[in-house]
Amino acid sequence: MSENQTKFGVLIKAGLAEVHQRELPEIGDNQVLVKHEACNICTTDYGQWMGLREHQPYPMAGGHEFAGIVVKKGPKVVGDFEAGDRVAVAYSFCGECDPCRHALTSECTQVTNEPTEDGYYGAFGFSEYSIRDGRVLIKMNKELSASEASFLEPLATVVKGLDKLRIKPLETIIVIGAGTMGLVNAQAAKAYGSRVIVTEVMPEKIEVAESMGLEVINAGDCNPVEKVKELTDGKGADAVIIAVGANIANKQAFEMVKKYDARILYFAAGYPAPELKVDSNFIHYRKMELVGTYGADMKDFFTAANLLNKKMVDVSKLVQCTFPLSEIQEAYKAASTPGSYRVSVIL
């Protein structure tokens, strides 16, 4: 396959992924040609494959958690990128609209979900090659595997959430759920100096969390709310990060936090949508903060790159298995299996 052509994975409909081929445009002055090495299958990706996110269009050439190698760059690319550098990719942004000018690049009004000229939607992460604006590329440590470097985007979304949660060193933070993003949240919060306690019911996930040196409550063997109170001398947690979209997680979070000035971060979405049943007076009198988070801005991507490149967050145990692009259908099946960690497509 030449550099001006690429094979890529695409969802034709729910449950059906294929490999297609297309021509790449000429590289622009401010652009970089990237040879993709790996792209991890995100919850959004396999959620659409399972038919749970039918609000997204087809054909979907998705995949946004990817890393690759610089092949060549345009003459006006700013930055010290050289051929052979490993890079991962942040979200596209215009840099000129009001949100971008206020550093809220994830809210850029000029980035739209329009199809390409050949009719595809998505970020083309499951692609052998792509052309990217130089300003959305971040250099990654080559000691990381390509699949590990592909965690830049999910870790950036965690950094965004922790920033909104305003966690401090020595605070006690509860993370509900030891799935991929629960453990990324837990490691990042620990890197920030907090005491982190993870709650989980699945034995396999508890084992992985403990192997990372995390403090874990087996919620299948005890009442996790009572255990949190026991481990905090009856005070409760300073904050809870809900990393699984479930009714019971929403309920437990309110019961785990301290009496006054507690914060709850709603990190995970769930399909069907979880319910939140709470008396607003409860929030009022206890001076609680309920915080939503989604996506990441460029500053979050740079912080995430530092955490990964310096190995302050170790995602090596979160890459469950790999598949070649030719087996992308099987990769989606593996990724959608309950209890799975990240499945990586090698390109």
Side-chain angles (χ1 to χ4, degrees):
M1 185 68 58
S2 67
E3 292 174 2
N4 63 343
Q5 290 185 325
T6 187
K7 291 180 180 178
F8 61 99
V10 56
L11 284 177
I12 302 303
K13 61 180 181 179
L16 180 59
E18 296 180 347
V19 177
H20 290 191
Q21 183 172 321
R22 70 196 296 252
E23 295 286 328
L24 288 173
E26 292 295 322
I27 186 171
D29 286 349
N30 299 300
Q31 294 180 319
V32 177
L33 174 64
V34 179
K35 171 68 179 75
H36 292 203
E37 296 178 286
C39 183
N40 298 340
I41 299 179
C42 169
T43 308
T44 301
D45 299 318
Y46 73 72
Q48 185 173 8
W49 184 86
M50 295 174 69
L52 300 177
R53 298 182 184 237
E54 291 295 79
H55 58 283
Q56 298 183 147
Y58 297 98
M60 173 58 70
H64 54 269
E65 299 181 7
F66 59 97
I69 298 296
V70 171
V71 178
K72 62 181 178 181
K73 64 180 182 179
K76 295 183 180 179
V77 170
V78 176
D80 58 348
F81 301 115
E82 301 295 340
D85 285 343
R86 172 171 286 150
V87 293
V89 184
Y91 302 149
S92 296
F93 64 98
C94 74
E96 297 178 356
C97 68
D98 281 349
C100 285
R101 293 172 64 196
H102 287 84
L104 300 173
T105 56
S106 62
E107 300 174 16
C108 178
T109 62
Q110 301 307 302
V111 175
T112 60
N113 189 28
E114 296 296 322
T116 59
E117 291 184 2
D118 45 359
Y120 294 99
Y121 295 85
F124 288 90
F126 302 113
S127 182
E128 293 177 319
Y129 291 90
S130 72
I131 293 174
R132 305 286 166 176
D133 287 342
R135 64 184 171 186
V136 302
L137 299 179
I138 297 178
K139 289 176 72 169
M140 303 301 295
N141 187 346
K142 280 199 170 182
E143 292 182 5
L144 301 170
S145 73
S147 299
E148 291 169 344
S150 296
F151 270 83
L152 175 67
E153 188 272 346
L155 180 52
T157 68
V158 166
V159 169
K160 175 73 171 181
L162 295 183
D163 182 57
K164 295 189 72 175
L165 196 59
R166 306 188 316 281
I167 67 170
K168 307 178 187 69
L170 305 181
E171 284 192 319
T172 297
I173 310 296
I174 307 299
V175 178
I176 300 179
T180 301
M181 297 312 300
L183 293 181
V184 174
N185 266 284
Q187 286 199 77
K190 190 174 180 180
Y192 282 23
S194 298
R195 178 194 183 188
V196 178
I197 303 172
V198 179
T199 73
E200 177 57 55
V201 297
M202 296 182 66
E204 299 85 356
K205 290 186 176 181
I206 291 171
E207 183 178 348
V208 173
E210 289 177 338
S211 74
M212 292 178 170
L214 295 168
E215 191 173 355
V216 185
I217 293 173
N218 184 338
D221 286 349
C222 68
N223 182 320
V225 174
E226 293 178 359
K227 192 65 176 178
V228 166
K229 293 297 178 67
E230 176 188 328
L231 293 172
T232 57
D233 298 323
K235 297 177 182 178
D238 295 288
V240 173
I241 299 170
I242 303 176
V244 57
N247 292 344
I248 190 171
N250 287 349
K251 181 177 183 296
Q252 288 175 350
F254 280 97
E255 298 170 349
M256 289 176 172
V257 292
K258 63 186 182 182
K259 186 173 182 179
Y260 295 114
D261 297 306
R263 293 104 66 205
I264 298 175
L265 180 70
Y266 295 86
F267 183 86
Y271 292 86
E275 295 181 346
L276 182 63
K277 296 180 179 180
V278 61
D279 181 344
S280 61
N281 285 347
F282 181 87
I283 300 170
H284 169 72
Y285 286 115
R286 291 180 58 171
K287 301 182 285 185
M288 297 179 71
E289 294 181 57
L290 308 186
V291 182
T293 189
Y294 175 72
D297 301 313
M298 277 304 299
K299 65 181 180 65
D300 306 313
F301 280 93
F302 283 110
T303 300
N306 273 328
L307 290 170
L308 281 173
N309 288 338
K310 295 175 181 177
K311 301 187 178 181
M312 298 175 71
V313 171
D314 181 3
V315 295
S316 59
K317 295 179 180 178
L318 299 180
V319 181
Q320 178 162 310
C321 57
T322 63
F323 289 83
L325 177 60
S326 60
E327 297 178 12
I328 192 168
Q329 178 75 356
E330 289 71 22
Y332 272 112
K333 290 179 182 177
S336 61
T337 302
S340 295
Y341 288 109
R342 279 298 192 262
V343 171
S344 190
V345 176
I346 304 302
L347 300 154

